């Protein structure tokens, strides 16, 4: 599994917050939900996204924006429009002074707003696993993909499906959101003017890319640099030098970080699994070995991490 896919394979969208907003200008929403990642797309009309730090960006029909939390931002018909609604953690909606929203109402299945010519789709990932921290750290506060530069059927498909209320629809929408996000990030990383992180670019290297895939797909293997070099067809010294130059750390340092990130996600996803079982899944020989490495990395024991 590569790091981009790992963003969604750990805390992948599961009952994600998905909403269609139908709005009439002037409108303005202040987003303070602290979500790690939010996808906003414009189905009809225009919308401004205004980060607290950074430049305001105008979105047109078919454009997709990815906002990296937890910093707040504004989504509005114009940057100067005062906020009318405040979106808090847990998607609680209030007026800016904390009162009940009177002007915004439920307009149908996963649909909300005042009615009108502007239609937005919003998909929010409510949690981030340790695996995704490597990816999230590589993202700017706001990414925008223009419809003209990135033709995709996914926005239209999500727009068509979001209002349906049929059995299994939540799972369908979760997967569509995952597809839209990962396709958008892949497109953004592949742009020549984007400073993609070293671990992403490394997958194009025929030697280092294979080594990364082996480590990511088989973390429980008893890897050594010698074994990894043999499986990639180069000498131990050549692999160690090429890996460190391309990725920015040694193969074993990367493997340690990957294993501990996997362990952190498994502790959340498998609340009934023993520490020993989690250790076995990620390549540690005992619960004690995992606990020692885990505490050194995260500052707390696996038990305390899970409880928190």
């Amino acid at each position: 599994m590569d790091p981009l896919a790992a963003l969604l394979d750990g805390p992948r969208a599961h009952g994600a917050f998905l909403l269609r907003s139908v709005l009439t200008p002037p409108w303005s929403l202040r987003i303070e939900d602290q979500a790690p990642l939010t996808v906003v797309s414009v189905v009809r009309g225009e919308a401004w996204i205004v980060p607290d730090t950074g430049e305001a960006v105008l979105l047109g029909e078919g454009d997709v924006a990815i906002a990296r939390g937890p910093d707040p931002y504004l989504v509005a018909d114009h940057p100067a429009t005062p906020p009318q609604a405040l979106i808090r953690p847990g998607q609680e909606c209030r007026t800016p002074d904390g009162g009940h929203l009177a002007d915004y109402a439920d307009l149908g299945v996963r649909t909300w707003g005042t009615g009108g010519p502007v239609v937005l789709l919003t998909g929010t990932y409510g949690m981030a696993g340790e695996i995704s921290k490597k990816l999230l750290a590589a993202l700017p506060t706001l990414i925008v993909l223009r419809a003209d530069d990135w033709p995709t059927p996914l926005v239209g498909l999500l727009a068509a499906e979001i209002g349906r209320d049929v059995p299994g629809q939540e799972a369908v929408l979760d997967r569509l959101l995952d597809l839209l996000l990962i396709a958008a990030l892949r497109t953004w990383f592949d742009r020549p003017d984007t400073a993609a992180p070293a671990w992403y670019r490394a997958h194009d290297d025929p030697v280092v890319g294979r080594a990364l895939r082996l480590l990511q797909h088989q973390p429980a293997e008893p890897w050594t640099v010698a074994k990894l070099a043999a499986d990639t067809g180069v000498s131990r010294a050549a692999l160690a030098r090429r890996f460190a130059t391309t990725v920015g750390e040694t193969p074993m340092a990367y493997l340690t970080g990957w294993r501990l990130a996997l362990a952190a996600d498994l502790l959340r996803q498998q609340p009934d699994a023993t520490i020993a079982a989690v250790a076995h899944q990620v390549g540690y020989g005992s619960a004690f070995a995992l606990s020692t490495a885990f505490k050194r990395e995260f500052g707390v024991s696996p038990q305390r991490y899970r409880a928190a």
Side-chain angles (χ1 to χ4, degrees):
M1 181 195 313
D2 64 82
L4 188 55
L7 169 69
L8 301 177
D9 202 63
R12 74 168 59 176
H14 181 73
F17 177 75
L18 279 157
L19 185 68
R20 174 171 52 195
S21 300
V22 183
L23 304 159
T24 297
W27 58 271
S28 180
L29 312 174
R30 171 80 176 168
I31 313 300
E32 296 183 358
D33 60 4
Q34 300 180 14
L37 212 60
T38 299
V39 181
V40 179
S41 56
V42 179
V43 177
R44 190 171 69 231
E46 295 181 339
W48 285 87
I49 294 189
V50 188
D52 276 15
T53 57
E55 296 183 359
V57 178
L58 178 63
L59 303 179
E61 292 187 8
D63 292 351
V64 174
I66 300 171
R68 175 180 58 80
D71 295 342
Y73 55 95
L74 196 72
V75 184
D77 71 307
H78 190 276
T81 302
Q84 302 160 347
L86 178 64
I87 314 301
R88 294 175 172 174
Q91 303 306 319
E92 179 188 9
C93 302
R94 295 286 180 180
T95 61
D97 60 3
H100 176 71
L101 279 175
D103 296 332
Y104 290 78
D106 186 348
L107 301 177
V109 178
R110 303 182 190 89
T111 304
W112 174 86
T114 59
V118 178
V119 178
L120 308 179
L121 302 180
T122 303
T124 301
Y125 288 79
M127 62 175 289
E130 295 300 335
I131 290 176
S132 65
K133 285 184 178 179
K134 185 185 288 285
L135 177 58
L136 293 174
L139 301 180
T141 302
L142 185 65
I143 294 171
V144 174
L145 296 171
R146 301 296 183 187
D148 291 343
D149 300 331
W150 182 55
T152 176
L154 292 172
V155 173
L157 187 56
L158 185 59
E161 291 287 339
I162 199 169
R164 299 187 66 197
D165 189 14
V166 294
Q169 190 64 7
E170 187 175 279
V172 170
L173 293 173
D174 284 347
R175 299 291 74 76
L176 284 175
L177 178 60
D178 287 348
L179 284 171
L180 179 60
L181 174 62
I182 203 165
L185 290 177
R186 184 174 59 191
T187 299
W188 186 77
F189 275 138
D190 287 340
R191 286 181 170 179
D193 58 342
T194 297
W199 50 260
Y200 183 84
R201 296 194 306 270
H203 280 268
D204 292 331
D205 185 289
V207 173
V208 178
R210 174 166 172 74
L212 282 170
R213 286 186 285 274
L214 287 169
L215 296 177
Q216 292 157 358
H217 284 276
Q218 304 172 48
E221 283 289 310
W223 290 111
T224 62
V225 176
K227 176 174 171 54
L228 197 60
D231 285 355
T232 54
V234 295
S235 70
R236 175 178 173 177
L239 175 64
R241 181 173 58 252
R242 191 162 173 171
F243 195 102
T245 300
T246 306
V247 179
E249 58 186 332
T250 67
M252 294 301 100
Y254 182 90
L255 177 61
T256 297
W258 183 254
R259 282 172 167 170
L260 293 174
L262 284 173
D265 277 346
L266 289 172
L267 289 167
R268 288 176 173 149
Q269 297 165 14
Q270 301 178 7
D272 296 329
T274 65
I275 304 303
V278 171
H280 178 73
Q281 290 183 70
V282 301
Y284 282 90
S286 67
F288 177 78
L290 172 61
S291 296
T292 301
F294 196 94
K295 188 169 184 179
R296 185 166 55 244
E297 176 73 11
F298 297 114
V300 295
S301 68
Q303 294 91 335
R304 290 181 65 87
Y305 181 90
R306 172 181 276 169

